[in-house]
Amino acid sequence: MKKFYVAALFSLSLMAANAQEPNIPMFGGQQNIDVKFDPYVAAPQGFDQQREGIERGTVQLIEYQSESVGTTRKANVYLPPKYDKKKKYSVLYLLHGIGGDEWEWMNDGGVPNIIMDNLYADKKVADMIVVMPNGRAAKNDSRSGGYGSAPAFGEFDKDLIGSLIPYIEKNFSVYTDKDHRAIAGLSMGGGQSLNFGLGNMDVFAYVGGFSSAPNTQRAAQLIPDVEKVKKENKLLWMVCGGADGLLNNSAQLKDFCDKNGVPCTLIKYPEGRHDFVVWKYGLYNFAQLIFK
Ligand code: FER
């Protein structure tokens, strides 16, 4: 009897985590959807290593009042080398995974500041700042929430669009139109980026998903209007590890796009797992494609 309860509770929690995607497995298991992947080109050696003799950007922690959550929330903001208030910058909103927060990219191996500094030094990116928020839109937004915090990730669009973006646009020297806003993220943050980015094409013209999690909506939900996405989205770009059981979340979208003539990239990182090797590669490539 006890065993039954444990099993029932377990499957209930799986169902909760996967509420939107009954056909998508947790990790692994199902055969991958057969799509034509875009060519993988390795990033150059040293792209994620601190280089001497180049200018560096800065990272600062900001706090903003969130109307939808009703608390003061935090985000890290990368400002590029020689950030100049007399100029205007584009903004990349860069989201974390289920176990992360506004520090995950910085502290867990993402080195976004180093990747961006190197890209700047090589003149491979447009002028942009990078905002790394906490995507768990709840009063308690600490890392401890686990899978139980999945609904809070689903609520983040209200905070992002309603409070964080206005804060950034008031306090930094940035453009305030969709063509100068991009959204990308890893895993849960990848799902959020696809959901919120494609769901708000009047807000974001550039959308990236790295190893997107099962919170990713099904393609037909993400793209109810094929002509609209063709007209309004400027980049839909994904990467996922070939050895990551979450590949189907990206592949189902790529499959839909290919069948409907929607430009969309999905790179399968060879042997790639669910980690920062793939996500650093994602940032390195996505950053070079946006705002151009
Ligand atoms: C799941 C598997 C993975 C899921 C979320 C994740 C909500 C997220 C992983 C990550 O962010 O690293 O079934 O359900």
Side-chain angles (χ1 to χ4, degrees), residues 17-18 25-27 97-99 147 150 186-189 213-215 246 274 279:
N18 260 336
M26 299 286 282
F27 288 99
I98 198 151
Y147 290 102
L186 69 91
S187 200
M188 281 298 274
N215 62 329
L246 299 187
H274 199 69
W279 306 330

Side-chain angles (χ1 to χ4, degrees), residues 146-202:
Y147 290 102
S149 63
F153 280 81
E155 295 287 313
F156 180 59
D157 52 343
K158 297 185 202 76
D159 176 44
L160 172 64
I161 295 170
S163 300
L164 178 57
I165 291 178
Y167 176 92
I168 294 296
E169 295 181 354
K170 194 164 160 235
N171 290 281
F172 294 92
S173 189
V174 295
Y175 293 106
T176 58
D177 61 304
K178 58 170 278 182
D179 288 340
H180 295 90
R181 291 194 207 105
I183 185 165
L186 69 91
S187 200
M188 281 298 274
Q192 287 177 307
S193 298
L194 298 171
N195 297 346
F196 304 158
L198 294 173
N200 298 279
M201 285 189 283
D202 55 329

Side-chain angles (χ1 to χ4, degrees), residues 43-51 105 109-119 122 269 276-281 283-284:
Q45 196 135 48
F47 82 98
D48 56 351
Q49 302 292 316
Q50 188 162 306
R51 212 189 290 169
W105 273 93
V111 292
N113 53 329
I114 293 173
I115 293 171
M116 294 305 294
D117 286 350
N118 291 342
L119 285 170
D122 294 337
Y269 192 105
F276 267 109
V277 172
V278 175
W279 306 330
K280 285 189 293 187
Y281 179 85
L283 175 59
Y284 174 79

Side-chain angles (χ1 to χ4, degrees), residues 7-38:
L9 268 178
F10 183 61
S11 36
L12 266 179
S13 67
L14 288 191
M15 278 161 65
N18 260 336
Q20 295 171 311
E21 294 79 22
N23 302 321
I24 300 292
M26 299 286 282
F27 288 99
Q30 190 172 300
Q31 222 185 336
N32 286 329
I33 297 167
D34 187 25
V35 293
K36 191 169 179 299
F37 295 103
D38 293 276

